Amino acid sequence: MQIYDELVARGLIAQVTDEKEIRELVNNGKAVFYIGFDPTADSLHVGHFMALCLMKRLQMAGNKPIALIGGGTGMIGDPSGRSDMRQMMTKEQIEHNCECFKKQMSRFIDFSDGKALMVNNAEWLMELNYVELLREVGAHFSVNRMLAAECYKQRMERGLSFLEFNYMIMQSYDFYALFQKYGCNMQFGGDDQWSNMLGGTELIRRKLGKDAYAMTITLLLNSEGKKMGKTQSGAVWLDPNKTSPFDFYQYWRNVADADVLKCLRMLTFLPLEQIDEMDHWEGSQLNQAKEILAYQLTSLVHGEEEAKKAQEAARALFSSGNSANMPSATVAEEDMNEGGIDIITLLMKSGLVPTRSEGRRAVEQGGVSIDGEKVTDFKAVIAKERLTGDGIVLKRGKKNFRKVTLA
Protein backbone atom coordinates (compact mmCIF):
# COMPACT_ATOMS: atom_id res chain seq x y z
CA MET A 1 0.00 0.00 0.00
CA GLN A 2 1.39 3.42 -0.97
CA ILE A 3 1.62 6.12 1.68
CA TYR A 4 -1.35 8.22 0.49
CA ASP A 5 -3.64 5.19 0.46
CA GLU A 6 -2.38 4.32 3.95
CA LEU A 7 -3.25 7.81 5.21
CA VAL A 8 -6.78 7.36 3.87
CA ALA A 9 -7.07 3.84 5.34
CA ARG A 10 -5.98 5.13 8.74
CA GLY A 11 -8.73 7.77 8.65
CA LEU A 12 -6.36 10.72 8.54
CA ILE A 13 -7.60 12.57 5.47
CA ALA A 14 -10.84 14.54 5.58
CA GLN A 15 -10.69 16.95 2.58
CA VAL A 16 -8.16 17.70 -0.11
CA THR A 17 -7.68 20.01 -3.05
CA ASP A 18 -6.24 18.47 -6.22
CA GLU A 19 -6.17 14.88 -5.00
CA LYS A 20 -4.40 13.54 -8.09
CA GLU A 21 -1.44 15.90 -7.61
CA ILE A 22 -1.37 15.27 -3.88
CA ARG A 23 -1.28 11.52 -4.35
CA GLU A 24 1.59 11.78 -6.84
CA LEU A 25 3.68 14.13 -4.68
CA VAL A 26 3.22 12.17 -1.46
CA ASN A 27 3.69 8.71 -2.97
CA ASN A 28 6.87 9.78 -4.77
CA GLY A 29 8.39 11.54 -1.76
CA LYS A 30 8.22 14.94 -3.46
CA ALA A 31 6.01 16.74 -0.95
CA VAL A 32 7.56 19.63 0.96
CA PHE A 33 4.82 20.21 3.50
CA TYR A 34 4.26 22.27 6.59
CA ILE A 35 2.16 22.15 9.70
CA GLY A 36 1.91 25.18 11.97
CA PHE A 37 2.14 25.19 15.77
CA ASP A 38 1.23 28.34 17.69
CA PRO A 39 3.32 28.55 20.90
CA THR A 40 0.47 29.23 23.33
CA ALA A 41 2.09 27.10 26.08
CA ASP A 42 5.54 25.80 26.98
CA SER A 43 4.69 22.25 25.92
CA LEU A 44 2.98 20.46 23.07
CA HIS A 45 -0.07 18.43 24.08
CA VAL A 46 -2.31 15.59 22.93
CA GLY A 47 -4.02 17.95 20.48
CA HIS A 48 -0.73 18.22 18.56
CA PHE A 49 -0.04 14.51 18.69
CA MET A 50 -1.68 13.49 15.44
CA ALA A 51 0.13 16.23 13.53
CA LEU A 52 3.50 15.08 14.85
CA CYS A 53 2.73 11.45 14.01
CA LEU A 54 1.65 12.46 10.51
CA MET A 55 4.86 14.41 9.96
CA LYS A 56 6.91 11.42 11.09
CA ARG A 57 4.91 9.08 8.85
CA LEU A 58 5.33 11.25 5.76
CA GLN A 59 9.03 11.81 6.43
CA MET A 60 9.55 8.04 6.64
CA ALA A 61 8.06 7.88 3.13
CA GLY A 62 10.68 10.34 1.81
CA ASN A 63 8.78 13.61 2.08
CA LYS A 64 10.20 16.74 3.72
CA PRO A 65 8.42 18.28 6.72
CA ILE A 66 8.56 21.92 7.76
CA ALA A 67 7.56 22.53 11.36
CA LEU A 68 6.38 26.12 11.39
CA ILE A 69 6.50 27.69 14.84
CA GLY A 70 4.09 30.61 15.11
CA GLY A 71 6.31 33.17 16.81
CA GLY A 72 4.61 35.86 14.71
CA THR A 73 1.02 34.61 14.60
CA GLY A 74 1.33 33.82 18.30
CA MET A 75 1.45 37.56 18.92
CA ILE A 76 -2.18 37.69 17.76
CA GLY A 77 -3.73 34.28 18.43
CA ASP A 78 -6.00 32.13 16.27
CA PRO A 79 -9.74 32.81 16.79
CA SER A 80 -10.68 29.38 15.39
CA GLY A 81 -12.81 27.30 17.73
CA ARG A 82 -12.84 29.94 20.45
CA SER A 83 -15.64 31.96 22.03
CA ASP A 84 -13.34 34.60 23.49
CA MET A 85 -10.08 36.33 22.68
CA ARG A 86 -6.83 34.61 23.58
CA GLN A 87 -4.76 36.10 26.36
CA MET A 88 -1.96 38.20 24.90
CA MET A 89 1.54 36.82 25.46
CA THR A 90 4.80 38.73 25.72
CA LYS A 91 7.56 38.30 23.17
CA GLU A 92 9.69 36.62 25.85
CA GLN A 93 6.95 34.08 26.65
CA ILE A 94 6.56 33.22 22.98
CA GLU A 95 10.31 32.77 22.47
CA HIS A 96 10.52 30.49 25.53
CA ASN A 97 7.60 28.37 24.30
CA CYS A 98 9.16 28.08 20.83
CA GLU A 99 12.36 26.68 22.33
CA CYS A 100 10.38 24.10 24.31
CA PHE A 101 8.54 23.03 21.15
CA LYS A 102 11.81 22.47 19.28
CA LYS A 103 13.08 20.00 21.86
CA GLN A 104 9.86 17.98 21.89
CA MET A 105 9.47 17.88 18.10
CA SER A 106 12.93 16.39 17.70
CA ARG A 107 11.62 13.15 19.24
CA PHE A 108 9.32 12.73 16.25
CA ILE A 109 11.07 14.42 13.34
CA ASP A 110 14.62 13.97 12.02
CA PHE A 111 16.02 17.46 11.45
CA SER A 112 19.54 16.27 10.55
CA ASP A 113 21.14 16.92 7.15
CA GLY A 114 18.24 19.07 5.91
CA LYS A 115 15.73 16.20 6.10
CA ALA A 116 13.30 18.56 7.82
CA LEU A 117 13.16 22.23 8.68
CA MET A 118 12.01 24.13 11.72
CA VAL A 119 11.05 27.69 10.86
CA ASN A 120 9.61 30.55 12.92
CA ASN A 121 7.16 32.79 11.07
CA ALA A 122 8.36 35.74 13.14
CA GLU A 123 11.20 35.73 10.59
CA TRP A 124 8.96 37.41 8.01
CA LEU A 125 5.80 38.51 9.82
CA MET A 126 7.58 40.75 12.33
CA GLU A 127 9.38 42.57 9.52
CA LEU A 128 6.32 43.30 7.38
CA ASN A 129 5.45 46.91 6.60
CA TYR A 130 1.74 47.40 7.25
CA VAL A 131 1.02 49.58 4.18
CA GLU A 132 3.02 47.21 1.99
CA LEU A 133 1.06 44.25 3.40
CA LEU A 134 -2.24 45.96 2.63
CA ARG A 135 -1.20 46.66 -0.96
CA GLU A 136 0.52 43.36 -1.71
CA VAL A 137 -1.68 40.93 0.21
CA GLY A 138 -4.84 42.65 1.45
CA ALA A 139 -5.95 43.41 -2.09
CA HIS A 140 -6.37 39.67 -2.75
CA PHE A 141 -8.81 39.02 0.13
CA SER A 142 -12.55 39.57 0.05
CA VAL A 143 -13.97 40.71 3.40
CA ASN A 144 -17.31 39.13 2.52
CA ARG A 145 -15.67 35.74 1.95
CA MET A 146 -13.61 36.06 5.11
CA LEU A 147 -16.68 36.76 7.24
CA ALA A 148 -18.39 33.71 5.77
CA ALA A 149 -15.57 31.48 7.05
CA GLU A 150 -16.59 29.20 9.91
CA CYS A 151 -13.69 30.33 12.11
CA TYR A 152 -15.08 33.89 12.07
CA LYS A 153 -18.80 33.11 12.04
CA GLN A 154 -18.46 31.45 15.46
CA ARG A 155 -17.15 34.71 16.92
CA MET A 156 -19.35 37.32 15.27
CA GLU A 157 -22.08 37.32 17.92
CA ARG A 158 -19.65 37.72 20.84
CA GLY A 159 -17.40 40.13 19.00
CA LEU A 160 -14.36 39.65 16.78
CA SER A 161 -11.45 42.03 17.24
CA PHE A 162 -9.66 43.54 14.26
CA LEU A 163 -6.51 41.98 15.69
CA GLU A 164 -7.95 38.46 15.31
CA PHE A 165 -9.53 39.31 11.97
CA ASN A 166 -6.02 39.61 10.53
CA TYR A 167 -5.11 36.05 11.49
CA MET A 168 -6.33 34.52 8.21
CA ILE A 169 -4.20 36.95 6.20
CA MET A 170 -1.15 36.19 8.31
CA GLN A 171 -1.57 32.41 8.04
CA SER A 172 -2.12 32.70 4.31
CA TYR A 173 1.03 34.77 4.05
CA ASP A 174 2.90 31.98 5.85
CA PHE A 175 2.19 29.55 3.01
CA TYR A 176 3.14 32.19 0.45
CA ALA A 177 6.46 32.86 2.24
CA LEU A 178 7.25 29.15 2.72
CA PHE A 179 6.48 28.48 -0.96
CA GLN A 180 8.94 31.15 -2.06
CA LYS A 181 11.66 30.55 0.53
CA TYR A 182 11.65 26.76 0.85
CA GLY A 183 9.66 25.36 -2.08
CA CYS A 184 6.84 24.29 0.25
CA ASN A 185 4.08 22.84 -1.94
CA MET A 186 1.65 21.38 0.61
CA GLN A 187 0.05 22.29 3.90
CA PHE A 188 -1.79 20.27 6.54
CA GLY A 189 -4.15 21.40 9.26
CA GLY A 190 -7.29 20.59 11.23
CA ASP A 191 -10.80 21.25 9.95
CA ASP A 192 -11.00 24.53 11.87
CA GLN A 193 -8.13 25.78 9.66
CA TRP A 194 -9.70 25.02 6.29
CA SER A 195 -10.62 28.62 5.39
CA ASN A 196 -7.21 29.94 6.44
CA MET A 197 -5.49 27.25 4.42
CA LEU A 198 -7.52 27.92 1.30
CA GLY A 199 -6.60 31.58 1.70
CA GLY A 200 -2.93 30.66 1.38
CA THR A 201 -3.53 28.57 -1.72
CA GLU A 202 -5.52 31.40 -3.30
CA LEU A 203 -2.86 33.99 -2.45
CA ILE A 204 -0.11 31.98 -4.15
CA ARG A 205 -2.25 31.47 -7.23
CA ARG A 206 -3.12 35.15 -7.48
CA LYS A 207 0.41 36.40 -6.80
CA LEU A 208 2.43 33.87 -8.78
CA GLY A 209 0.07 32.64 -11.48
CA LYS A 210 -1.31 29.29 -12.62
CA ASP A 211 2.08 27.63 -12.97
CA ALA A 212 2.73 28.16 -9.27
CA TYR A 213 -0.74 26.91 -8.32
CA ALA A 214 0.12 23.47 -9.73
CA MET A 215 2.58 23.10 -6.86
CA THR A 216 0.44 24.47 -4.02
CA ILE A 217 -1.53 21.59 -2.63
CA THR A 218 -3.70 22.04 0.42
CA LEU A 219 -4.86 19.12 2.55
CA LEU A 220 -7.15 19.10 5.51
CA LEU A 221 -5.97 16.81 8.27
CA ASN A 222 -8.87 15.13 10.03
CA SER A 223 -8.83 16.69 13.51
CA GLU A 224 -10.37 13.69 15.28
CA GLY A 225 -7.26 13.23 17.40
CA LYS A 226 -7.33 16.85 18.51
CA LYS A 227 -10.97 16.47 19.51
CA MET A 228 -10.15 13.37 21.54
CA GLY A 229 -7.55 15.31 23.44
CA LYS A 230 -9.92 18.16 24.18
CA THR A 231 -12.89 16.08 25.22
CA GLN A 232 -11.13 13.54 27.40
CA SER A 233 -8.69 15.88 29.13
CA GLY A 234 -7.76 19.50 28.79
CA ALA A 235 -4.22 19.08 30.09
CA VAL A 236 -2.46 16.01 28.69
CA TRP A 237 0.98 17.36 27.88
CA LEU A 238 3.97 15.81 26.13
CA ASP A 239 6.34 17.39 28.68
CA PRO A 240 6.99 14.76 31.41
CA ASN A 241 7.18 17.53 34.01
CA LYS A 242 3.59 18.51 33.20
CA THR A 243 2.12 15.06 32.55
CA SER A 244 4.20 12.19 33.89
CA PRO A 245 4.87 9.17 31.63
CA PHE A 246 2.63 7.15 33.97
CA ASP A 247 -0.27 9.61 33.69
CA PHE A 248 0.28 9.81 29.94
CA TYR A 249 0.11 6.02 29.73
CA GLN A 250 -3.02 5.97 31.89
CA TYR A 251 -4.69 8.58 29.67
CA TRP A 252 -4.45 6.29 26.65
CA ARG A 253 -5.10 3.14 28.70
CA ASN A 254 -8.47 4.61 29.66
CA VAL A 255 -9.76 5.77 26.27
CA ALA A 256 -13.34 4.80 25.48
CA ASP A 257 -13.90 1.35 23.96
CA ALA A 258 -15.27 2.99 20.82
CA ASP A 259 -12.08 5.02 20.31
CA VAL A 260 -9.30 2.51 20.88
CA LEU A 261 -9.07 1.11 17.33
CA LYS A 262 -9.45 4.58 15.85
CA CYS A 263 -6.52 5.77 17.96
CA LEU A 264 -4.43 2.72 17.03
CA ARG A 265 -4.96 3.43 13.32
CA MET A 266 -4.37 7.16 13.47
CA LEU A 267 -1.57 7.44 15.99
CA THR A 268 0.51 4.26 16.09
CA PHE A 269 2.89 2.82 13.51
CA LEU A 270 1.60 -0.72 13.88
CA PRO A 271 0.72 -2.39 10.55
CA LEU A 272 -2.90 -1.92 9.53
CA GLU A 273 -3.26 -5.67 9.14
CA GLN A 274 -2.43 -6.14 12.83
CA ILE A 275 -4.93 -3.48 13.88
CA ASP A 276 -7.64 -4.87 11.60
CA GLU A 277 -7.36 -8.20 13.42
CA MET A 278 -8.51 -6.41 16.57
CA ASP A 279 -11.77 -5.25 14.97
CA HIS A 280 -13.81 -7.99 16.65
CA TRP A 281 -12.07 -7.90 20.02
CA GLU A 282 -14.36 -7.55 23.02
CA GLY A 283 -14.17 -7.46 26.81
CA SER A 284 -10.72 -8.29 28.16
CA GLN A 285 -9.33 -8.26 24.63
CA LEU A 286 -10.29 -4.58 24.32
CA ASN A 287 -8.33 -3.92 27.50
CA GLN A 288 -5.38 -5.62 25.84
CA ALA A 289 -5.80 -3.33 22.82
CA LYS A 290 -5.79 -0.32 25.15
CA GLU A 291 -2.56 -1.55 26.74
CA ILE A 292 -1.00 -1.85 23.29
CA LEU A 293 -2.15 1.68 22.43
CA ALA A 294 -0.88 3.16 25.70
CA TYR A 295 2.49 1.40 25.44
CA GLN A 296 3.05 2.37 21.80
CA LEU A 297 2.27 6.05 22.33
CA THR A 298 4.13 6.38 25.63
CA SER A 299 7.16 4.79 23.99
CA LEU A 300 6.90 7.22 21.09
CA VAL A 301 6.77 10.28 23.35
CA HIS A 302 8.89 9.27 26.36
CA GLY A 303 10.97 6.33 25.15
CA GLU A 304 10.67 2.58 25.56
CA GLU A 305 12.17 2.48 29.05
CA GLU A 306 9.60 4.93 30.43
CA ALA A 307 6.83 3.07 28.62
CA LYS A 308 7.87 -0.19 30.31
CA LYS A 309 7.95 1.50 33.72
CA ALA A 310 4.51 3.03 33.18
CA GLN A 311 3.05 -0.28 32.05
CA GLU A 312 4.52 -2.15 35.02
CA ALA A 313 3.25 0.50 37.42
CA ALA A 314 -0.24 0.42 35.91
CA ARG A 315 -0.41 -3.35 36.16
CA ALA A 316 0.85 -3.20 39.74
CA LEU A 317 -2.23 -1.21 40.69
CA PHE A 318 -4.33 -4.31 40.12
CA SER A 319 -1.94 -6.85 41.59
CA SER A 320 0.47 -7.27 44.46
CA GLY A 321 3.41 -6.37 42.23
CA ASN A 322 5.91 -3.55 42.63
CA SER A 323 4.42 -0.06 42.26
CA ALA A 324 7.71 1.81 42.37
CA ASN A 325 7.30 3.43 38.96
CA MET A 326 3.97 5.17 39.49
CA PRO A 327 3.79 8.92 40.30
CA SER A 328 4.72 9.53 43.92
CA ALA A 329 4.08 12.06 46.65
CA THR A 330 5.38 12.49 50.18
CA VAL A 331 3.96 13.83 53.42
CA ALA A 332 6.05 15.30 56.20
CA GLU A 333 6.15 14.72 59.95
CA GLU A 334 4.51 18.10 60.50
CA ASP A 335 1.50 16.90 58.49
CA MET A 336 0.84 14.24 61.12
CA ASN A 337 -1.70 14.83 63.87
CA GLU A 338 -1.61 12.44 66.84
CA GLY A 339 0.16 9.75 64.86
CA GLY A 340 -1.84 9.94 61.66
CA ILE A 341 -3.15 12.07 58.80
CA ASP A 342 -6.77 12.50 57.75
CA ILE A 343 -7.80 11.33 54.30
CA ILE A 344 -8.74 14.80 53.02
CA THR A 345 -5.35 16.27 53.92
CA LEU A 346 -3.69 13.23 52.37
CA LEU A 347 -5.57 13.74 49.11
CA MET A 348 -4.55 17.39 49.02
CA LYS A 349 -0.89 16.76 49.91
CA SER A 350 -0.66 14.11 47.19
CA GLY A 351 -2.05 16.51 44.59
CA LEU A 352 -5.14 14.44 43.82
CA VAL A 353 -7.58 17.21 44.84
CA PRO A 354 -7.14 20.99 44.96
CA THR A 355 -9.49 21.72 47.89
CA ARG A 356 -10.84 20.06 51.03
CA SER A 357 -14.41 20.32 49.73
CA GLU A 358 -13.49 18.47 46.55
CA GLY A 359 -11.69 15.82 48.60
CA ARG A 360 -14.73 15.28 50.80
CA ARG A 361 -16.96 15.03 47.74
CA ALA A 362 -14.64 12.44 46.17
CA VAL A 363 -14.80 10.27 49.30
CA GLU A 364 -18.56 10.59 49.69
CA GLN A 365 -19.06 9.61 46.04
CA GLY A 366 -17.00 6.45 46.51
CA GLY A 367 -14.10 7.54 44.33
CA VAL A 368 -11.22 7.17 46.80
CA SER A 369 -9.35 4.01 47.78
CA ILE A 370 -6.15 3.03 49.59
CA ASP A 371 -4.32 -0.11 48.44
CA GLY A 372 -7.45 -1.21 46.61
CA GLU A 373 -9.82 -0.70 49.57
CA LYS A 374 -12.48 1.98 49.20
CA VAL A 375 -12.48 4.79 51.78
CA THR A 376 -16.07 5.62 52.78
CA ASP A 377 -15.55 7.95 55.75
CA PHE A 378 -14.26 11.44 54.93
CA LYS A 379 -13.03 11.69 58.55
CA ALA A 380 -10.88 8.57 58.22
CA VAL A 381 -7.31 8.84 59.56
CA ILE A 382 -4.40 6.91 58.06
CA ALA A 383 -1.85 5.82 60.64
CA LYS A 384 1.70 7.09 60.30
CA GLU A 385 3.01 3.53 60.24
CA ARG A 386 1.18 2.79 56.97
CA LEU A 387 3.09 5.57 55.24
CA THR A 388 6.57 4.38 56.21
CA GLY A 389 8.59 2.00 54.06
CA ASP A 390 6.80 1.27 50.78
CA GLY A 391 3.89 3.53 51.73
CA ILE A 392 0.41 3.26 50.23
CA VAL A 393 -1.22 3.50 46.81
CA LEU A 394 -3.81 6.29 46.98
CA LYS A 395 -6.37 6.32 44.18
CA ARG A 396 -8.95 8.90 43.14
CA GLY A 397 -11.34 7.93 40.37
CA LYS A 398 -10.29 5.48 37.66
CA LYS A 399 -7.19 7.22 36.36
CA ASN A 400 -5.47 9.13 39.17
CA PHE A 401 -2.99 7.36 41.44
CA ARG A 402 -0.16 8.28 43.78
CA LYS A 403 2.28 6.22 45.76
CA VAL A 404 2.40 8.14 49.07
CA THR A 405 5.18 7.75 51.64
CA LEU A 406 6.36 9.58 54.72
CA ALA A 407 9.36 11.79 53.96
Side-chain angles (χ1 to χ4, degrees), residues 42 69 94-104:
D42 59 1
I69 307 296
I94 292 172
E95 289 176 351
H96 171 71
N97 293 349
C98 288
E99 287 302 313
C100 293
F101 278 23
K102 288 180 182 179
K103 293 178 183 177
Q104 292 180 345

Side-chain angles (χ1 to χ4, degrees), residues 335-347 356 363 368 370 374-387 392 394:
D335 298 320
M336 298 293 124
N337 183 19
E338 297 182 356
I341 183 171
D342 68 272
I343 185 63
I344 306 301
T345 301
L346 190 61
L347 285 166
R356 294 191 68 84
V363 172
V368 176
I370 294 177
K374 188 173 292 186
V375 178
T376 57
D377 182 4
F378 68 86
K379 295 180 181 180
V381 175
I382 292 80
K384 174 181 175 180
E385 291 74 21
R386 293 192 65 182
L387 299 169
I392 61 171
L394 182 63

